[in-house]
């Protein structure tokens, strides 16, 4: 019996691990930081901890659901890529039917939590991000258009806006800046991945910019997007939503990131190494900004955009 119990326990652990893996926990953790940053920026020191906890949990379930459904949709191309060929939806550790049911259930739970405990604006943005990621990006744009990355960046920029709007209940200038800022950040971040995973994307025939138009064009776009990202990030302190500390951090990280991007034009540069470093620093940049805006908020009068307020 003990051997049987040990076998059952090991099997249960393996199953749980598989279901955790299919939600892409790394993506969830990254989104948690940005959601918390947006929430605390809006709270301005007056934090409703229960609301914050529910917002974090609800949106995490929504993001997890989107990732699960994405894995189901991408089973065929995931099997062609070195990085993703061992995903549980590819190996069959979780059946397509079980994964879909799991994804739908946690998605319904996540949306229910946001709908009950937050507000219509936060729920609307969560739904927008989900529909863009699953319905537009995963089902069509990723496989068929070089603009798939741009469309996907919208869904990737939604989490901090949901966190912000969960507090304010309205779409104001800061929320718009956050949406633009995080969307712009996604582009060089994603292009860097596409460069050091070039062979994977090429094998799966995914028309990301480096594959469809060449790495030279991708390098130019990386530089331009980082430059615009730096300008948009500076709008938060310039508009009075954050202070000097945020301005200093965004200038330092953005300019350093831009300098790293320009290194891609050096003669004889190792593009694989360069792209990995660029990708790594992109995570440092957005994490630093999320943490800083959570701490360096300013008490300003919010300017709502009338069409999307309570």
């Amino acid at each position: 019996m003990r051997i049987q119990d040990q076998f059952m326990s090991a099997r249960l652990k393996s199953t749980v691990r598989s279901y955790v893996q299919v939600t892409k926990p790394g993506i969830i953790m990254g989104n948690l930081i940005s959601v918390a940053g947006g929430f605390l920026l809006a709270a301005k020191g007056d934090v409703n901890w229960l609301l914050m906890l529910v917002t974090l949990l609800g949106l995490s379930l929504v993001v997890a659901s989107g990732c699960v459904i994405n894995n189901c949709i991408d089973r065929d191309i995931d099997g062609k890529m070195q990085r993703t060929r061992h995903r549980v939806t590819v190996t069959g550790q979780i059946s397509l039917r079980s994964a879909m049911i799991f994804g739908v259930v946690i998605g319904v739970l996540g949306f229910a939590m946001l709908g009950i405990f937050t507000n219509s604006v936060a729920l609307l943005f969560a739904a927008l991000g989900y529909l863009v990621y699953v319905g537009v990006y995963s089902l069509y744009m990723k496989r068929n258009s070089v603009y798939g990355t741009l469309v996907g960046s919208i869904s990737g920029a939604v989490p901090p806006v949901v966190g912000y709007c969960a507090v304010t209940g309205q779409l104001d200038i800061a929320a718009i800046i956050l949406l633009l800022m995080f969307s712009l950040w996604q582009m060089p971040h994603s292009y860097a991945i596409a460069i050091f995973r070039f062979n994977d994307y090429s094998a799966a025939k995914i028309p990301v910019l480096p594959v469809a138009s060449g790495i030279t064009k991708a390098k130019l776009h990386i530089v331009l997007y980082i430059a615009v990202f730096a300008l948009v990030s500076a709008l938060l302190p310039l508009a009075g939503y954050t202070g000097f500390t945020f301005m200093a951090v965004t200038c330092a990280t953005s300019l350093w990131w831009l300098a790293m991007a320009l290194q891609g034009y050096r003669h004889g540069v190792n593009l694989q190494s360069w792209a990995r470093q660029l990708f790594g620093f992109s995570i440092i940049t957005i994490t630093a900004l999320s943490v800083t805006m959570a701490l360096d908020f300013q008490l300003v009068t919010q300017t709502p955009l009338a069409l999307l307020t309570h």
Side-chain angles (χ1 to χ4, degrees):
M1 285 296 293
R2 288 187 62 188
I3 294 176
Q4 186 177 2
D5 289 343
Q6 289 175 353
F7 173 77
M8 293 298 291
S9 177
R11 187 173 180 179
L12 177 61
K13 288 179 181 178
S14 177
T15 300
V16 171
R17 190 180 302 114
S18 295
Y19 276 96
V20 170
Q21 288 175 356
V22 81
T23 64
K24 301 182 183 178
I27 291 178
I28 294 173
M29 287 304 299
N31 281 312
L32 279 175
I33 296 171
S34 65
V35 176
F39 188 99
L40 294 172
L41 172 65
K44 303 184 186 305
D46 183 19
V47 182
N48 182 331
W49 294 105
L50 177 60
L51 177 61
M52 182 175 176
L53 177 63
V54 173
T55 302
L56 289 171
L57 181 56
L59 193 64
S60 292
L61 289 171
V62 169
V63 170
S65 172
C67 289
V68 173
I69 304 300
N70 171 263
N71 276 346
C72 293
I73 295 170
D74 284 354
R75 275 195 316 163
D76 58 333
I77 56 178
D78 280 347
K80 299 175 183 178
M81 300 172 69
Q82 187 75 21
R83 176 174 62 96
T84 57
R85 64 179 183 172
H86 296 300
R87 282 180 174 170
V88 293
T89 44
V90 176
T91 61
Q93 288 174 266
I94 298 179
S95 69
L96 179 62
R97 181 174 180 273
S98 297
M100 286 292 291
I101 292 172
F102 176 58
V104 170
V105 169
I106 60 176
V108 169
L109 287 174
F111 279 116
M113 291 180 71
L114 293 175
I116 293 170
F117 293 100
T118 62
N119 55 70
S120 59
V121 181
L123 181 62
L124 175 64
F125 271 99
L128 173 66
Y130 191 90
L131 290 173
V132 168
Y133 182 63
V134 174
V136 182
Y137 173 74
S138 297
L139 284 175
Y140 182 78
M141 295 297 289
K142 181 177 180 178
R143 297 166 182 259
N144 296 286
S145 175
V146 71
Y147 298 108
T149 307
L150 182 61
V151 171
S153 74
I154 298 171
S155 58
V158 160
V161 180
V162 172
Y164 186 89
C165 293
V167 176
T168 65
Q170 62 188 20
L171 181 65
D172 62 16
I173 299 302
I176 295 295
I177 294 171
L178 288 176
L179 186 65
L180 289 173
M181 181 175 125
F182 278 77
S183 182
L184 288 165
W185 170 84
Q186 294 274 338
M187 301 302 291
H189 170 82
S190 299
Y191 287 158
I193 297 174
I195 290 173
F196 70 77
R197 296 288 187 184
F198 183 91
N199 292 335
D200 270 355
Y201 285 100
S202 182
K205 294 182 171 57
I206 300 174
V208 288
L209 186 65
V211 174
S213 302
I215 292 178
T216 299
K217 188 171 183 178
K219 287 195 291 187
L220 174 61
H221 280 229
I222 285 171
V223 169
L224 294 176
Y225 273 115
I226 293 176
V228 179
F229 166 79
L231 295 174
V232 171
S233 299
L235 292 178
L236 274 180
L238 290 176
Y241 289 94
T242 57
F244 175 78
T245 301
F246 182 89
M247 178 64 91
V249 171
T250 193
C251 287
T253 55
S254 298
L255 291 176
W256 190 269
W257 194 19
L258 181 60
M260 290 181 68
L262 291 170
Q263 292 293 309
Y265 286 98
R266 287 184 307 164
H267 178 69
V269 65
N270 184 319
L271 288 175
Q272 291 280 320
S273 176
W274 167 76
R276 286 183 182 276
Q277 291 174 5
L278 200 68
F279 163 76
F281 195 77
S282 73
I283 296 175
I284 293 173
T285 296
I286 207 66
T287 301
L289 296 189
S290 295
V291 172
T292 308
M293 71 184 184
L295 301 175
D296 192 36
F297 53 83
Q298 297 293 303
L299 298 175
V300 297
T301 302
Q302 296 165 345
T303 305
L305 302 182
L307 292 178
L308 289 177
T309 59
H310 280 320

